[in-house]
Amino acid sequence: MRGKFPLISCVIAGVLGVSAGSWPEVRGQTLSETRTSLRTQLPAMFADRQWATPKPGSWTPPRKGDDGLPPVFNRIQTQDKVVFLTIDDGYEYDAAFVDIVRRERVPILTFLTTNYVKGHGQYFWALRNAGSRMENHTVSHPNMAGLSAEAQKREICRSSDTITAQYGRRPQIFRPPFGSYNQTTRQAARDCGVKSLMLWSAEFYNGTTSPRGVRGEFVRGDGGTGFKPGDIVLMHYRKGLAQDFTTLLGWIRQQGFRPAAVENYLPMSLGGNAPG
């Protein structure tokens, strides 16, 4: 028993991805009961989520550039009342957030800065298995437009290498930190296997203040208010993410929108799942 229980404990911790709220379900069980519980939970925990696909003709994918480089876009042209939730960086870890994503079945897209995930691989494994793809947000979060071509390529390629080794899929989409990029960035991204650059049309300043100094403000890039079909919304992995994410979901639903999986609105040629 003394040799087996730590192994079971480690497996449970890895599966549930640091979710402290899950531990009471395990405490007090016999080893046999725990093994039975794991046999029923593991297939679901390790199965990638499948998200609804849009109806044909309800959306228009971003256009590929004429220069052969990955195109840059900040929203999806669609008739659907959907928004796309994306979360950047990874230097804060809110265990309750994983539970919300899994319980509410909310599609998100994670842009990982790989320096931040050292020692926290289980957290992002839990999010991956709750349905979030892991895409590229560089190694160290620099201002890309200020770097040489060699340095930009190193930031993107090494981040993709790390994500591939850790999560089993090479990133296809790149988000430049601060939204800063130039032609060299697009060339480096192409050389690292990236198919498109995704920016954002609105930002929820969760855990921080907006440029106006308002904490937790929702700001549209076009100066408008509320949500618009096809918005790509930016958030960050910060303290209190679970509560802020719940607040954002409430706003989205109050306005008659729903979160959707942006990868299902992107053709495979741009790093998504849709044909083309």
Side-chain angles (χ1 to χ4, degrees), residues 5 11 17 24 33 45-46 63 70 80 85 90 94 150 152-153 167 198 212 218 241 255 257 269 273-274:
F5 183 73
V11 171
E33 289 171 337
M45 293 292 187
F46 284 118
R63 291 181 56 187
D80 298 334
L85 305 182
D94 187 337
E150 180 182 355
Q152 292 202 47
K153 187 173 179 179
Y167 302 108
M198 183 187 296
R212 298 195 311 152
F218 179 83
L241 178 58
Q255 295 184 34
F257 286 78
S269 60
N273 292 333

Side-chain angles (χ1 to χ4, degrees), residues 2-33:
R2 291 179 60 188
K4 296 179 179 179
F5 183 73
L7 175 61
I8 293 296
S9 300
C10 290
V11 171
I12 296 171
V15 171
L16 299 182
V18 307
S19 175
S22 299
W23 283 105
E25 297 176 10
V26 176
R27 291 173 180 155
Q29 292 180 341
T30 66
L31 183 59
S32 175
E33 289 171 337

Side-chain angles (χ1 to χ4, degrees), residues 85-195:
L85 305 182
T86 64
I87 311 180
D88 285 10
D89 298 347
Y91 55 86
E92 294 285 357
Y93 311 95
D94 187 337
F97 175 66
V98 181
D99 294 333
I100 291 173
V101 172
R102 182 183 296 122
R103 183 177 66 249
E104 297 286 337
R105 297 182 62 85
V106 181
I108 62 173
L109 194 66
T110 296
F111 286 95
L112 275 180
T113 301
T114 51
N115 269 355
Y116 297 149
V117 303
K118 292 178 181 177
H120 296 277
Q122 290 178 345
Y123 180 80
F124 293 102
W125 257 107
L127 284 169
R128 174 194 176 278
N129 293 314
S132 176
R133 282 191 178 188
M134 300 296 150
E135 299 291 356
N136 192 316
H137 198 44
T138 73
V139 173
S140 63
H141 207 275
N143 185 325
M144 296 294 283
L147 299 182
S148 67
E150 180 182 355
Q152 292 202 47
K153 187 173 179 179
R154 183 166 57 248
E155 283 283 341
I156 300 173
C157 286
R158 289 185 179 178
S159 177
S160 284
D161 291 345
T162 297
I163 293 170
T164 303
Q166 184 85 15
Y167 302 108
R169 174 187 169 275
R170 192 164 187 85
Q172 304 285 292
I173 306 172
F174 174 62
R175 172 168 285 167
F178 316 108
S180 174
Y181 69 95
N182 54 22
Q183 191 80 347
T184 302
T185 310
R186 296 173 64 214
Q187 292 169 346
R190 176 199 59 194
D191 293 345
C192 295
V194 167
K195 296 181 179 179

